[in-house]
């Protein structure tokens, strides 16, 4: 059985994270810590460790499904993963990505699909890639009281148009996207792969939190793919990723030891067998 999250040290210490509390963190100058989560086991670990928000990112298409991009990820897949995550979480805010083409057709399509995510999973917010080009959709969702996080800079769902995962440097465009998302009612904005000084300027300008990934240290918070920071994903990883552990190495060593012991018939030994 997994450990009980309600007994974890972080869960005891802090009240549940809500959207207003997430936004207030900026006023309190308290850095926001966000990581991706795709399943029950890892969501429980993230939550008890004290993470502020778990993003059920469509990066699961690459990390979990082994696809080259996030383009093929579907709404039912997002709902499937988000349900598992929400079931494990006691404190963190759970934010779920709207996948490619689940919100582009019209604001009404976005409203239906975002509503389906919140109703089916119990998550607290959705994220969508876009700023100025999605302002009407953000406005429609927030008018229905659906909290929306925007995502500007490098938008992985635009990889086919961009021709790769490239740093975005158009300062005027980035600022316009961030302002439009804020004006439309977004409660936060992911800034992905933009120059440090651009992230600093956007963060200074906006009264809602900026969450950086490959955007330097001046954002109000940071987000990473959990499996990247734990050293579970194989190389290469983006240059902004810091490996905080080598769990791939630890897992491979443990599995190699298991294989060796089974082949040597030293496992299971008496201590791990029934009499
Ligand atoms: O899909 C995702 O995981 C993301 C983050 C890495 C920001 O959008």
């Amino acid at each position: 059985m997994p450990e009980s999250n309600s007994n974890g040290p972080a869960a005891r210490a802090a009240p549940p994270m809500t959207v207003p509390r997430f936004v207030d963190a900026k006023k309190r100058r308290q850095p926001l810590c966000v990581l991706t989560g795709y399943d029950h086991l890892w969501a429980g670990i993230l939550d008890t460790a004290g993470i502020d928000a778990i993003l059920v990112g469509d990066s699961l298409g690459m990390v979990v499904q082994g696809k080259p991009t996030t383009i093929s990820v579907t709404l039912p897949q997002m709902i499937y993963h988000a349900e598992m995550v929400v079931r494990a979480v006691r404190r963190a805010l759970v934010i779920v990505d709207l996948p490619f083409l689940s919100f582009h057709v019209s604001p009404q399509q976005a409203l239906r699909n975002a509503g389906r995510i919140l109703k089916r999973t119990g998550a607290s917010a959705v994220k969508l890639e876009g700023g100025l080009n999605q302002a009407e959709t953000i406005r429609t969702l927030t008018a229905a009281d659906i909290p929306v996080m925007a995502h500007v800079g490098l938008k992985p769902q635009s990889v086919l148009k961009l021709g790769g995962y490239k740093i975005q440097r158009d300062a005027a465009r980035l600022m316009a996207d961030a302002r439009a998302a804020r004006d439309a009612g977004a409660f936060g904005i992911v800034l992905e792969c933009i120059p440090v000084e651009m992230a600093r300027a956007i963060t200074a300008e906006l009264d809602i939190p900026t969450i950086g990934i490959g955007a330097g240290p001046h954002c109000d918070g940071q987000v990473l793919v959990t499996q990247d920071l734990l050293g579970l994903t194989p190389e290469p990883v983006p240059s902004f990723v810091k490996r905080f552990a080598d769990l791939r190495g630890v897992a491979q060593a443990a599995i190699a030891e298991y294989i060796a012991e089974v082949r040597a018939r030293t496992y299971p030994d008496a201590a791990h067998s029934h009499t």
Side-chain angles (χ1 to χ4, degrees):
M1 284 289 288
E3 67 185 299
S4 163
N5 296 330
S6 54
N7 292 333
R12 269 200 309 273
M17 181 59 80
T18 59
V19 168
R21 217 170 256 139
F22 191 87
V23 176
D24 274 359
K26 176 157 184 149
K27 290 189 201 109
R28 288 183 270 113
R29 295 179 180 278
Q30 184 190 316
L32 287 158
C33 304
V34 184
L35 285 171
T36 60
Y38 313 123
D39 65 31
H40 185 270
L41 178 73
W42 279 106
I45 292 170
L46 294 167
D47 192 53
T48 51
I51 204 75
D52 294 314
I54 297 177
L55 171 66
V56 185
D58 63 353
S59 51
L60 66 85
M62 301 166 83
V63 178
V64 178
Q65 299 174 342
K67 299 279 181 68
T69 72
T70 59
I71 300 292
S72 64
V73 175
T74 65
L75 188 72
Q77 289 168 355
M78 294 306 301
I79 290 173
Y80 172 74
H81 285 275
E83 276 182 321
M84 292 189 271
V85 167
V86 169
R87 223 173 283 139
V89 168
R90 299 291 173 269
R91 177 187 172 261
L93 189 73
V94 179
I95 305 164
V96 183
D97 254 340
L98 280 163
F100 183 59
L101 279 195
S102 70
F103 61 99
H104 302 77
V105 175
S106 67
Q108 285 65 37
Q109 181 215 23
L111 184 57
R112 256 195 317 276
N113 288 335
R116 202 183 299 173
I117 287 176
L118 297 194
K119 279 170 174 267
R120 293 272 306 275
T121 69
S124 293
V126 296
K127 176 168 85 58
L128 59 78
E129 292 186 11
L132 193 51
N133 64 337
Q134 293 300 337
E136 195 191 337
T137 293
I138 296 170
R139 203 166 278 115
T140 300
L141 298 188
T142 53
D145 294 338
I146 295 177
V148 183
M149 177 170 274
H151 182 151
V152 310
L154 173 59
K155 293 174 282 178
Q157 291 173 11
S158 304
V159 64
L160 301 178
K161 180 175 144 196
L162 295 171
Y165 298 102
K166 299 172 184 168
I167 298 170
Q168 302 299 299
R169 300 182 181 279
D170 183 339
R173 168 88 195 270
L174 290 168
M175 188 56 95
D177 276 339
R179 284 182 179 143
R182 184 262 328 263
D183 293 345
F187 75 92
I189 304 189
V190 167
L191 301 178
E192 177 158 358
C193 279
I194 68 171
V196 170
E197 284 313 315
M198 211 44 238
R200 187 210 288 265
I202 293 171
T203 301
E205 158 102 12
L206 300 188
D207 54 352
I208 56 173
T210 58
I211 308 297
I213 174 163
H218 305 300
C219 298
D220 298 304
Q222 297 292 327
V223 58
L224 279 177
V225 168
T226 298
Q227 286 77 358
D228 284 348
L229 88 90
L230 292 177
L232 278 164
T233 42
E235 297 289 344
V237 288
S239 58
F240 57 78
V241 169
K242 177 175 172 182
R243 303 286 212 178
F244 286 81
D246 173 26
L247 292 199
R248 193 178 180 86
V250 170
Q252 282 173 335
I255 292 162
E257 206 175 320
Y258 167 76
I259 292 168
E261 290 200 15
V262 169
R263 287 186 178 151
R265 297 190 186 281
T266 55
Y267 175 82
D269 55 11
H272 299 93
S273 302
H274 301 296
T275 51

